[in-house]
Amino acid sequence: QFMVTNRLTGPEVAAQADALSLPTSVNEFLQGELGHPVGGFPEPFRSQVLKKAGLKAIEGRPGAELAPLDFAALKKELEEDYGELANDGFELRPDTDKLSAALYPQVFKEYAEFAAEYGRVGVIPTAAFLAPMEPGQRISVQIEHGKSLLIKFLSSSAELDEKGQRTCYFELNGVQREVRVFDRTEEAKQKGKGGKAIVLAPRADKSNPGHVGAPMPGTVISLHCAAGDAVLKGAKVAVLSAMKMETVVSASKDGVVKRVLPAEGDLLSAGDLIVEIE
C-alpha cells in the first residue's frame, strides 16, 4: 500500500531507504520481530532502514527476548481501563480480550474506544460499512436473533455546514430519520456552507526539502514536535495510523520547526503538509 500510494518501485525504495518514512510494521519486520526470512534480509537496505528508525536488529528467535507476561495482571488492567466503556456496543471479555491486548495493545485500544462510541458495527453488511450507501439503497441489519432493522438511505444535504457536516436522511423500518455526519471527502476539505472554505489542507511541496508531507492517507495519532523546536534529519515528528498500520513520519532535514499543521486526530490525505522546517 505504501509503495502504491507513493508510486514507488522496488529499486526506488531501496535507493531512498535512509529518507523514506516507512510504516512501523515494515521497520519492525526488518528488525526481525517476525523472525528471519530464508536467505536473510536484503543489505544494505535493512541496515539503512534500521539506522534511520533508531532500531537494533534482533538476532535469533524474537520471542526469546520477550519478558514473561502476567496474564492475571493484564486482565485486571483491562477491567480498570475499559470496564467503564461497556455499553450495548462493547462488552469487555477479559478472558479472551487479554490475548488481543497482549499481542496488539494499540489496535485493541482503538477497537475498544471505537466500539464504545459506535456500537456493534459488526452487524452492518461489509459493503455498507466500507463505502457510502447510494440513494435508494436498502440494507437489512440483524441486531439479535429474530430482530432486524430495515434501513433505506434517502439522500444527503447538498451543502456542508460551517463545521463540515452533512445531514443524511434515511428510513428506519419505514420511519424517517436524519443524522449529521462529517464529510471527510476532498470536497469537505475545500468547500463549506455557501462555498466558503472550512478546512483547506496545505499540500507539501516535494521540491522543498523543508516540507514534511503525509506519506499515505491516515489519522494523526501523535505529534512529536512543535513550532520552534530544533530537529535533526530522521527525527520522529508525527505518527499516522491507517487500516491498523502505523507510520512514523520523520524530519526531512536538520533545522527548526516553523509550523505544525495538523492536530492529533486529524484525517490526512497523502501529500498533506504536516511539518514545515526552516
Side-chain angles (χ1 to χ4, degrees), residues 120-277:
R120 293 181 297 154
V121 296
V123 299
I124 300 175
T126 302
F129 177 80
L130 294 176
M133 294 175 63
E134 297 293 335
Q137 181 180 349
R138 294 180 173 87
I139 61 173
S140 175
V141 178
Q142 184 173 344
I143 57 176
E144 60 183 62
H145 183 68
K147 186 176 182 180
S148 297
L149 300 178
L150 300 177
I151 302 172
K152 178 183 178 181
F153 178 57
L154 300 175
S155 64
S156 60
S157 56
E159 293 185 347
L160 303 174
D161 64 15
E162 64 279 358
K163 295 183 179 179
Q165 293 181 319
R166 240 182 247 284
T167 302
C168 296
Y169 305 93
F170 60 96
E171 288 182 356
L172 179 63
N173 286 350
V175 179
Q176 185 165 320
R177 302 287 183 88
E178 64 180 61
V179 62
R180 303 183 73 80
V181 298
F182 284 102
D183 188 328
R184 300 189 182 278
T185 62
E186 287 299 320
E187 180 182 2
K189 289 190 173 185
Q190 300 172 8
K191 294 183 178 179
K193 189 173 182 179
K196 297 180 180 179
I198 52 168
V199 182
L200 184 58
R203 305 289 289 174
D205 182 355
K206 293 184 178 181
S207 65
N208 186 340
H211 278 198
V212 181
M216 60 192 303
T219 301
V220 180
I221 59 174
S222 62
L223 293 167
H224 297 269
C225 66
D229 288 353
V231 295
L232 297 177
K233 181 179 179 180
K236 182 193 300 184
V237 296
V239 178
L240 306 183
S241 176
M243 298 182 69
K244 308 305 179 186
M245 179 174 66
E246 291 187 4
T247 298
V248 175
V249 182
S250 305
S252 53
K253 57 176 283 188
D254 297 346
V256 177
V257 176
K258 180 179 180 180
R259 55 176 179 162
V260 178
L261 280 298
E264 292 184 0
D266 282 0
L267 181 67
L268 303 181
S269 297
D272 283 354
L273 182 61
I274 299 177
V275 173
E276 185 175 0
I277 302 172

